[in-house]
Amino acid sequence: MLLVFTLIGLVLIGFATYGFAVVNKLPTKVEGPIRENEVNKLTDQFNSKVSSLRSSYVTAKKLHGDDKEAIAALKKDVTNIYNGMREEYDSQVKAIEAPPEKKNPVRAFWNKVIYGGVLASLTCCFGSGCYVACSEEEEPQKLMGETSAWNAENIPMPHLEDESQYVANPDKVLSKETVDSMNVMLQRMDKELGVETAFAIVNYVEGEEAFRLAQDMGNKYGVGRNDRGLVVVMAYGDHDINISPGTGLESTLTDGKCGRLLDDYAVPFLKKNQPDSAMLYLTRALLEVLRNQDELSPVYEKPASDEERDLGIMGTGTLGLWGLLALLRGRLGKKGLMKENYTPLRTVAPNPTIELLRSAGAGSAYGSGHSRSRGYSSGRSVSRGSYGGGHFGGGGASRKW
């Protein structure tokens, strides 16, 4: 689900980026001067016609001499011709200056982005809610690896072969990545805090009791220098997990504190068939508690479940995406590019005031004096390890799920 949301977010961001490309391709600045030149060309043609008409009028007037009636008739005919020419000129300029308004392609594009984003967000939220609801239901156990019942005699102890390894995972219940992360934290616990550990993650234990295996492992192999040892056994198929501290740690990891650790950091994930998350969070919590022995809650709060974390990421991502879209849309609005309709070509017409006839019948054409707008495993040597001879007296806690 998170992958789907990420893809949708990338698509929407791509749309937003494309929106700027659309803006840059608007023809307002490129074709505007071309339209302006068309108006100027029409004006020049009109002025030329008026000039010719005036010349014809002057010539004809001389031919009529002092015949006032003939001159009046001539003046009337020339005036009618001029009015027709001016009407044709005005209609042509109006057609160029004010073309029919068209739907703004930028606004239409952004409407599609917004509506598509709302639909995608609702789909992700609905799908995520269904996924979380379904994940709450109990599912059949899916066990990996062998189904042998392990005891202290046959359980592998990787630390005896490699001092950097503390986790036995013979049934492959946990992934290699999880085991590697746990080993890093357990090595820090050993080197920095002097607490030796042995973790056994299996499917089944002999007698179906994780507590018995933990105690037997600790005493048989002497886990813990100065009795500062810690054994954790998780029997995934038996639905049983146990924390057993050595006698030197019982005052720090009391029975009650061990129980709270299991309740807060392991059992919730085990109930959802997430053993990797359970053991990672439990190991990290144990490390923090041993570093800060006074209290637990302020040191390391209970982490969110995988589903809750995914929902949080998606919620944050959704808010961030909508914030980005709002910012981009605001920039377009400031440029005046989010209006419902737009005039694709803006022009400034010369608007000539041409007169043909003056008081005495002489006309003047609007010519050269008019203005025109221009408008992110390295190799290592392996050292055999050993345990320090610790003892275990029955302290700790177990939980079933």
Side-chain angles (χ1 to χ4, degrees):
M1 183 59 65
L2 181 57
L3 177 60
V4 173
F5 176 83
T6 303
L7 291 176
I8 293 175
L10 291 174
V11 170
L12 290 180
I13 292 175
F15 280 167
T17 304
Y18 177 72
F20 278 111
V22 172
V23 173
N24 292 332
K25 291 182 180 179
L26 284 179
T28 53
K29 295 181 179 180
V30 176
E31 297 186 18
I34 297 177
R35 289 294 188 178
E36 180 183 327
N37 291 338
E38 290 181 8
V39 174
N40 289 333
K41 183 177 179 180
L42 281 176
T43 302
D44 290 341
Q45 292 174 352
F46 175 72
N47 287 340
S48 179
K49 290 179 182 179
V50 172
S51 180
S52 298
L53 181 60
R54 185 181 61 178
S55 298
S56 299
Y57 168 73
V58 172
T59 301
K61 181 179 178 182
K62 291 180 180 180
L63 293 176
H64 290 296
D66 295 332
D67 190 346
K68 294 182 180 182
E69 292 183 3
I71 292 176
L74 176 62
K75 183 177 180 178
K76 183 178 180 181
D77 292 338
V78 172
T79 300
N80 290 335
I81 295 174
Y82 168 80
N83 290 336
M85 291 166 53
R86 181 58 190 261
E87 184 178 350
E88 180 183 6
Y89 166 80
D90 289 340
S91 64
Q92 290 175 334
V93 171
K94 184 177 180 180
I96 294 176
E97 280 192 301
E101 285 189 335
K102 298 182 179 181
K103 291 294 182 180
N104 189 339
V106 178
R107 182 184 176 91
F109 173 81
W110 274 85
N111 285 339
K112 292 178 181 179
V113 172
I114 297 300
Y115 297 147
V118 171
L119 180 61
S121 298
L122 292 176
T123 301
C124 286
C125 291
F126 178 76
S128 300
C130 292
Y131 176 75
V132 172
C134 292
S135 66
E136 296 291 339
E137 300 177 2
E138 186 69 22
E139 297 180 358
Q141 290 292 339
K142 298 179 181 179
L143 303 180
M144 297 178 289
E146 302 296 331
T147 58
S148 307
W150 298 94
N151 56 47
E153 300 297 330
N154 61 14
I155 190 76
M157 300 296 287
H159 184 68
L160 299 179
E161 301 297 327
D162 183 348
E163 65 177 5
S164 67
Q165 304 298 302
Y166 300 83
V167 182
N169 184 38
D171 295 336
K172 310 300 181 184
V173 175
L174 303 180
S175 68
K176 181 181 183 302
E177 292 74 16
T178 296
V179 172
D180 290 342
S181 297
M182 292 172 62
N183 278 321
V184 170
M185 289 185 281
L186 295 178
Q187 188 171 35
R188 294 169 61 184
M189 193 181 298
D190 187 359
K191 303 303 181 183
E192 297 176 12
L193 305 177
V195 177
E196 288 185 338
T197 58
F199 278 52
I201 314 301
V202 298
N203 281 327
Y204 301 103
V205 296
E206 195 173 84
E208 300 182 0
E209 190 176 4
F211 165 74
R212 186 72 271 150
L213 177 57
Q215 294 289 312
D216 290 348
M217 284 174 58
N219 286 316
K220 175 179 175 59
Y221 295 101
V223 179
R225 297 180 299 276
N226 300 318
D227 292 330
R228 290 175 58 81
L230 176 64
V231 179
V232 176
V233 174
M234 193 263 282
Y236 193 49
D238 291 327
H239 288 224
D240 192 16
I241 186 170
N242 171 265
I243 299 176
S244 289
T247 55
L249 277 182
E250 289 182 352
S251 60
T252 301
L253 292 176
T254 63
D255 295 355
K257 186 172 291 187
C258 290
R260 289 197 301 274
L261 285 167
L262 292 173
D263 291 338
D264 289 345
Y265 301 99
V267 173
F269 298 102
L270 292 172
K271 285 182 176 179
K272 296 179 180 180
N273 297 311
Q274 298 174 1
D276 290 81
S277 295
M279 297 312 299
L280 279 173
Y281 289 134
L282 179 60
T283 304
R284 189 178 302 166
L286 283 166
L287 176 60
E288 294 300 329
V289 168
L290 291 171
R291 280 177 171 168
N292 305 272
Q293 301 178 10
D294 295 334
E295 47 186 328
L296 171 63
S297 298
V299 175
Y300 189 78
E301 296 182 358
K302 177 183 176 181
S305 68
D306 291 347
E307 293 84 5
E308 292 170 340
R309 185 173 60 254
D310 288 346
L311 287 175
I313 294 173
M314 285 190 286
T316 303
T318 300
L319 291 176
L321 177 61
W322 284 110
L324 175 62
L325 292 178
L327 176 63
L328 297 178
R329 193 180 189 281
R331 290 190 59 183
L332 294 177
K334 289 182 179 180
K335 293 183 178 181
L337 296 170
M338 290 303 294
K339 297 179 180 179
E340 184 174 358
N341 297 313
Y342 82 112
T343 301
L345 302 171
R346 300 178 182 274
T347 62
V348 180
N351 190 25
T353 54
I354 304 174
E355 296 180 0
L356 176 67
L357 305 172
R358 293 187 176 178
S359 58
S364 63
Y366 179 86
S368 59
H370 69 280
S371 77
R372 301 178 178 182
S373 302
R374 304 291 184 240
Y376 188 60
S377 115
S378 61
R380 56 178 177 82
S381 60
V382 176
S383 300
R384 295 177 63 86
S386 62
Y387 285 109
H391 300 83
F392 288 73
S398 295
R399 289 292 187 270
K400 293 278 190 179
W401 72 89

